[in-house]
Amino acid sequence: ITAKNLTIATGGSLTVNSGTNITLTEGLINSLAATAVVVENNANIVQTTGATNLNQGAITVKRNSNSLMLLDNVMWGSPVTGQQLQAFSPATLPNRFYTYDSTTNLYVNETATNNFADAKGYLIRMPNTHPTTPTVWEGSFVGVPHSGDYSYTPAIGFNSVANPYPSTMSMAAFVADNPTISGTLYFWRKTNSTVVLPGYCSWNSGTYVSNGQPGAISDAVGNDMLQVGQGFIVKATATTGVLFKNTQRTGNNDNQNYKTTNTTASADEKHRVWLN
């Protein structure tokens, strides 16, 4: 559905089912419990205009990891305000929440009782109760959904940021709005295996380079889209804020991983010459 405002009245509830979208030109208002509004995995709430957040009241946004194992890490970012790191993944050990240090290019421990910062990416180990065989884990974000403009102030060099919205985002639109970052986005895709591979895959201008490992978040970078909850790395050439805008948001439900080759030709097909 598309609407101007959407209000959840007393006695009401709303579930945005997987594969569906709600598009609002203004705000979502929920005065009930956060469980009264649930956005399922691979569903979107898209808000199209406005620089400020017009949403009121907490909701629940679900997002699945890929099939990962005990001791694997995921780079997450929150689509809501007020979500505590430990509350998001209660069974993760308190010393297994990390932020990225742009000075040393290393991950450092983050206090588990802190909240997710807006538009910031965090590396979080899978719950300590997670199976040792590849298994999907369902995360739930609880808080007021983000909307409007967000500006993350980077250090010069590599920084961990994240999609701050309860909807997918266009990578191309995000890069176009941020001339002070390089055009390459980096995604943590390293699983706890015996195979030694680079820890990151990368995307640049529609070309995706895989390291052959599962995605940290299920189907994290499909069809040039940043998925809900997806954290990633950008390289900043200035301390100008990294901008996230409603105009970068989309309602993509493909929920598919990138492939190494295109199987269907289209008007958007891109051609590359590889120099080694």
Side-chain angles (χ1 to χ4, degrees), residues 213-226:
Q213 295 280 279
I217 296 178
S218 177
D219 312 316
V221 282
N223 291 346
D224 298 351
M225 296 294 161
L226 289 165

Side-chain angles (χ1 to χ4, degrees), residues 177-263:
D177 285 338
N178 287 283
T180 58
I181 65 171
S182 75
T184 302
L185 311 182
Y186 301 90
F187 299 89
W188 176 270
R189 282 177 171 250
K190 189 172 180 64
T191 191
N192 180 32
S193 70
T194 58
V195 181
V196 179
L197 290 169
Y200 297 89
C201 298
S202 63
W203 176 95
N204 186 298
S205 300
T207 296
Y208 179 68
V209 179
S210 174
N211 67 349
Q213 295 280 279
I217 296 178
S218 177
D219 312 316
V221 282
N223 291 346
D224 298 351
M225 296 294 161
L226 289 165
Q227 297 293 329
V228 174
Q230 178 66 60
F232 58 101
I233 299 287
V234 298
K235 185 176 183 180
T237 58
T239 56
T240 305
V242 179
L243 299 177
F244 296 84
K245 301 180 178 181
N246 275 356
T247 52
Q248 299 164 4
R249 298 170 69 175
T250 65
N252 184 275
N253 304 112
D254 287 346
N255 206 35
Q256 295 179 349
N257 277 336
Y258 266 108
K259 306 299 181 183
T260 54
T261 57
N262 286 328
T263 57

Side-chain angles (χ1 to χ4, degrees), residues 44 60 179 204:
N44 298 291
T60 300
N204 186 298

